[in-house]
Amino acid sequence: MNPANFKWDQDADGIVTLTWDMPDRTLNVLSMAAIAELSQVADKVASDAAIKGLIITSGKAGNFCAGADLDEMLAYSGSGPKNADSVAAAFKLMTTLHATFRKFETGKKPVVAAMNGTALGGGLELALACHHRIMADDSKARIGFPEAQVGLIPGGGGTQRLPRLIGAMAALPFMLESKRIDPQAALGMGILHKVVPAADLIAQAKAWIKGKPDSTQPWDKKDFRIPGGGPFSTAGAQVFTVGNAMLRDKTFDNYPAQRFIMSAVYEGLLVDFDTALKIEARYFVRVLNEPAARNMIRTLFHSMQELGKGARRPAKEPPTEVNRLGVLGAGVMGAGIAYVSALAGIDVTLIDTTEDRANGGRDHAAKLLDREISRGRSTPEKKAEVLSHIHPLTDFSALKDVELVIEAVFEDRSVKADVTRKAEAALKADAIFGSNTSTLPITGLAEVSQRPEGFIGIHFFSPVERMGLVEIIVGKKTNNRALSVAIDYVRKIKKTPIVVNDSRGFYTSRCFATYTREGLAMMGERISPALIENVGRMSGMPMGPLEVTDSVGIDTGLKITRATRLEALKSDKPDIKEEILAWIVEAQNRTGVKAGKGFYDYDAKGKRTRLWPGLFDYGKGAWNKDADPEELKLRLLTIQALEAARCFEEGVITDPRDADVGAILGWGFAPYTGGPISMIDTLGAKAFVERCEGLAKRHGERFAPNKLLRELAAKGETFYQRFAPAKVA
């Protein structure tokens, strides 16, 4: 045999080693071509008497298979669940995949998965279809099912084999939560049979085959019993009863994939294995044609990959490398920036006003590293190496050799202006100056700069070490070199960059603020704060609007709201939202999580305990506990998407990938929608305009659709059509 994606090697003992090594790919994926070749391999192994067994391994270092080819999967999604042609084609593809894997299982020849590294999704499903699974002892390797993260379910038998192998209770978290574990953990759970040194992988696989093992899968034996019991057993009934309740509590039924995973496992365990595979295939095809899957695949897979590869980088600018970074301000943000930069091997000069403050930033990094060590994710040696890259100082002259400096001082124009002048006096001529600001316009901050063309916004999110997004803001005079350096730096620290043009609040802060303001507006309407918070989570947001305000800082929200009113809106009259913020900060002295008291009460560790009872003393009149939750959800999501549309009209955002990825990674906009722009496009501009008009009549002009939305509605266009992003080469 001479397959294109595999290398065939048959030894003198009749053992075939099939090495998966897709050309022109850094990782193996389960493509249609790979499936077809695996089917041919299975036929050859089963029919050739000279072949005594098969080993499937990989030629990619540290990787067995990254999962299915999502480009191909997306092509099968059609335009929706009623597209009969796409449904039939997708179902045929999945049944073909199942038949291929069943050939390995039932071919009466022993098959070993010899995994030299990470096996995810379809790669793990192929391994589960093998009679024996061994894996290289690599702490960085992972196995798991990431499908739910992009709105899909395991479709290569994963929902049926894993529960039959380790029981439904242990298997469900892998699929519902996209849980990933290392080889030793997988061995302990019974997913793997053996973990061996990488150099011994093939030898161990051959030794097992030479032992003439039983090549019948457990679920194909007559005496097979489901570990832990089936759905109708006492234990099984508890798994699915409690599991469904927990699933509803966590997802509010916003994610079809999780619901279908639960259904596929439950129904599949009630029938024989081959019928169970048909059940899985039907659910897979159904979820594939859900808007959630299409949008999540596009945003959380394709767009994130493209942006991560530098899709928004000026094409003609040569590559740059930031090896020396300056950070101004060693507070939580500055220390976080220093930490993630040092992790990437960048030497960081961390400047603050006193030695104690500067050293405190380095100490913050040390605490983060200690936490990683305690969780088995780092080592003392790694800690020492990372900390050796952080140099806490008070002298701005130490910045003379850095390629990029990022100021992360207090959100105040005068403070930022002062450190800008001091830093630029020391910087070399071609160094780039970045400001980590969440709201202050970059063009205004650059007015004090002697090099405004090299001045750019680099907005990190808190906590820096956990948040994967960086918003890069281009001022009126910012040049392409500054943009290129910023993007190259963000890519080096392994975060996703989005690029936006300058405005107050830029994109993320501006859109996110509408969520908290709408929650406050609801409170001003006497809608119960408890209902507001619950509906916020039900809509798919990670926190209710009041809890978010606590997290950001109510005093910070009040300051920004007042500054916007006075400086941008030129208004002397506070609205109800500002009045609520002023009441809780100035009259009640409650500023949020940092003070242990805000809209919520918090314990000594900063954990939310309850809504503050005194909150219900605000204002006059009875609280409305019976407002329509669906209307409230509609308001909270629509106001954010509408602001995103306004950002397009004003040129703040020019690429829908930035809008959708930025919304989900930056402030947690309901991931099942694919982002605010995908949400509008899925609904259709015409229907969205009608929704906005209805909300405007009921709740005010803030919901009035803008000119761009009306144009798209009239022409039947989508944002992804009008602002079609260029593809990465």
Side-chain angles (χ1 to χ4, degrees):
M1 290 191 67
N2 189 29
N5 296 294
F6 300 87
K7 296 175 183 176
W8 174 284
D9 178 55
Q10 185 170 339
D11 68 12
D13 294 318
I15 298 175
V16 173
T17 300
L18 188 72
T19 304
W20 197 349
D21 197 3
M22 300 183 79
D24 303 320
R25 294 260 198 174
T26 56
L27 302 175
N28 294 320
V29 294
L30 197 61
S31 64
M32 287 184 285
I35 294 169
E37 290 177 358
L38 284 170
S39 180
Q40 295 170 7
V41 167
D43 289 338
K44 172 68 174 174
V45 170
S47 61
D48 191 337
I51 296 175
K52 305 304 179 183
L54 172 69
I55 300 167
I56 304 176
T57 191
S58 166
K60 309 293 186 185
N63 178 267
F64 181 68
C65 174
D69 187 327
L70 288 181
D71 287 319
E72 293 181 351
M73 288 294 101
L74 198 60
Y76 277 87
S77 67
S79 58
K82 294 183 179 180
N83 187 319
D85 290 340
S86 67
V87 168
F91 187 75
K92 182 178 180 181
L93 173 64
M94 301 318 297
T95 53
T96 298
L97 175 60
H98 288 161
T100 298
F101 286 179
R102 286 299 275 161
K103 287 180 182 180
F104 288 121
E105 289 186 313
T106 61
K108 301 190 183 304
K109 300 283 181 72
V111 182
V112 183
M115 294 172 279
N116 61 315
T118 293
L120 300 175
L124 177 56
E125 288 175 308
L126 172 58
L128 291 173
C130 297
H131 305 108
H132 194 66
R133 290 169 294 281
I134 60 176
M135 195 167 186
D137 192 3
D138 179 357
S139 62
K140 295 181 180 179
R142 293 292 183 270
I143 69 165
F145 289 120
E147 287 87 349
Q149 290 181 327
V150 290
L152 294 174
I153 76 170
T159 67
Q160 304 308 316
R161 289 187 177 90
L162 192 60
R164 284 170 168 81
L165 187 66
I166 62 174
M169 179 181 289
L172 282 168
F174 280 89
M175 295 174 274
L176 295 173
E177 303 170 16
S178 298
K179 182 180 177 182
R180 303 179 192 190
I181 59 175
D182 62 30
Q184 291 295 341
L187 178 66
M189 294 187 70
I191 299 173
L192 300 177
H193 294 96
K194 215 168 189 181
V195 174
V196 302
D200 298 339
L201 200 61
I202 302 303
Q204 291 278 351
K206 288 186 176 183
W208 184 81
I209 291 173
K210 290 177 182 178
K212 298 181 180 180
D214 180 7
S215 56
T216 305
Q217 291 281 45
W219 40 87
D220 287 324
K221 296 179 179 179
K222 291 182 180 180
D223 60 349
F224 174 69
R225 294 292 182 269
I226 299 168
F232 287 168
S233 68
T234 301
Q238 290 179 344
V239 168
F240 289 98
T241 301
V242 175
N244 272 303
M246 293 176 63
L247 182 64
R248 180 74 180 186
D249 178 62
K250 288 184 177 181
T251 70
F252 295 99
D253 210 25
N254 287 321
Y255 296 87
Q258 275 82 350
R259 175 160 34 95
F260 293 161
I261 286 169
M262 187 70 80
S263 295
V265 173
Y266 178 83
E267 295 172 25
L269 292 180
L270 295 174
V271 297
D272 66 90
F273 187 72
D274 288 306
T275 303
L277 291 178
K278 292 178 182 177
I279 290 171
E280 179 190 86
R282 291 188 179 115
Y283 276 117
F284 182 89
V285 173
R286 185 174 172 186
V287 78
L288 183 63
N289 281 274
E290 289 278 344
R294 296 197 303 276
N295 290 338
M296 289 175 75
I297 290 172
R298 178 171 64 187
T299 299
L300 298 175
F301 182 74
H302 292 298
S303 294
M304 274 188 63
Q305 279 200 340
E306 290 165 4
L307 294 175
K309 291 177 181 178
R312 302 286 278 118
R313 192 185 189 283
K316 295 182 180 179
E317 288 292 325
T320 63
E321 183 82 17
V322 173
N323 295 311
R324 294 174 298 277
L325 173 74
V327 177
L328 310 182
V332 173
M333 289 300 292
I337 294 168
Y339 170 69
V340 298
S341 301
L343 274 178
I346 299 172
D347 279 320
V348 182
T349 300
L350 182 59
I351 303 286
D352 213 313
T353 54
T354 68
E355 289 184 5
D356 285 345
R357 289 181 176 177
N359 287 327
R362 190 173 184 272
D363 291 343
H364 177 79
K367 290 177 182 177
L368 294 175
L369 288 161
D370 286 339
R371 186 176 65 186
E372 292 298 288
I373 292 171
S374 69
R375 296 175 177 177
R377 298 173 182 169
S378 190
T379 63
E381 293 76 18
K382 180 66 175 179
K383 174 185 175 181
E385 178 195 343
V386 173
L387 292 180
S388 72
H389 289 297
I390 301 176
H391 312 287
L393 297 165
T394 59
D395 188 355
F396 280 81
S397 65
L399 299 172
K400 59 184 177 64
D401 293 324
V402 304
E403 295 99 4
L404 169 68
V405 65
I406 300 174
E407 67 82 0
V409 299
F410 189 66
E411 196 81 345
D412 181 277
R413 286 179 182 277
S414 61
V415 176
K416 289 182 181 292
D418 181 54
V419 298
T420 299
R421 294 188 187 98
K422 290 178 179 177
E424 287 192 345
L427 291 175
K428 57 185 180 180
D430 62 348
I432 301 302
F433 192 99
S435 176
N436 175 59
T437 175
S438 59
T439 58
L440 299 176
I442 292 301
T443 302
L445 294 178
E447 289 175 356
V448 302
S449 173
Q450 298 301 309
R451 50 179 90 180
E453 69 283 352
F455 197 105
I456 193 165
I458 305 177
H459 175 206
F460 285 84
F461 296 78
S462 183
V464 176
E465 67 275 8
R466 293 206 332 246
M467 299 296 283
L469 184 77
V470 177
E471 183 179 33
I472 298 174
I473 306 103
V474 177
K476 286 185 179 179
K477 295 185 178 180
T478 305
N479 64 21
N480 281 346
R481 181 175 177 274
L483 177 57
S484 298
V485 170
I487 290 177
D488 290 345
Y489 161 70
V490 172
R491 292 179 64 199
K492 185 170 183 176
I493 62 173
K494 293 181 171 56
K495 293 189 183 292
T496 302
I498 64 168
V499 179
V500 307
N501 291 317
D502 196 18
S503 78
R504 177 173 286 275
F506 320 127
Y507 170 66
T508 55
S509 297
R510 175 175 164 178
C511 292
F512 184 39
T514 64
Y515 174 64
T516 56
R517 287 202 302 267
E518 194 61 25
L520 291 170
M522 292 173 180
M523 187 173 162
E525 297 166 20
R526 307 298 294 170
I527 294 171
S528 169
L531 180 58
I532 295 169
E533 293 294 270
N534 285 329
V535 165
R537 298 182 188 99
M538 288 168 62
S539 72
M541 300 295 290
M543 299 180 185
L546 304 182
E547 184 184 0
V548 167
T549 307
D550 272 3
S551 179
V552 172
I554 309 176
D555 53 339
T556 302
L558 176 60
K559 181 179 179 180
I560 293 171
T561 300
R562 277 184 176 160
T564 301
R565 171 173 62 82
L566 295 172
E567 298 173 17
L569 302 178
K570 309 295 183 184
S571 172
D572 295 328
K573 185 179 180 181
D575 61 13
I576 186 64
K577 300 178 282 294
E578 185 178 335
E579 288 178 5
I580 294 172
L581 294 175
W583 171 77
I584 197 167
V585 171
E586 297 170 349
Q588 305 300 324
N589 192 31
R590 301 178 70 88
T591 57
V593 177
K594 59 190 175 185
K597 54 183 182 178
F599 288 101
Y600 284 84
D601 286 328
Y602 298 86
D603 64 19
K605 295 182 179 179
K607 183 179 179 181
R608 171 172 54 88
T609 58
R610 62 177 181 174
L611 272 168
W612 174 48
L615 191 62
F616 295 88
D617 295 333
Y618 173 77
K620 297 180 181 180
W623 290 98
N624 180 2
K625 300 178 181 178
D626 299 317
D628 180 9
E630 292 304 316
E631 177 80 355
L632 300 182
K633 285 167 58 177
L634 204 64
R635 288 171 62 176
L636 291 173
L637 292 181
T638 301
I639 197 69
Q640 297 177 74
L642 179 56
E643 194 66 22
R646 290 172 179 149
C647 286
F648 269 96
E649 183 170 282
E650 297 170 24
V652 177
I653 282 278
T654 59
D655 190 314
R657 296 173 300 185
D658 288 330
D660 281 341
V661 171
I664 293 176
L665 294 189
W667 74 85
F669 185 85
Y672 66 90
T673 66
I677 297 306
S678 285
M679 189 184 88
I680 295 173
D681 281 358
T682 298
L683 184 64
K686 182 179 179 181
F688 187 75
V689 165
E690 291 171 353
R691 173 188 290 182
C692 290
E693 289 173 339
L695 289 171
K697 288 179 182 179
R698 298 190 295 274
H699 304 291
E701 280 300 302
R702 65 185 179 279
F703 284 101
N706 60 326
K707 181 181 177 183
L708 174 60
L709 277 170
R710 294 187 184 280
E711 286 180 5
L712 294 175
K715 296 181 179 180
E717 286 184 304
T718 68
F719 279 91
Y720 274 86
Q721 290 170 338
R722 172 75 72 92
F723 302 94
K727 296 295 182 182
V728 181

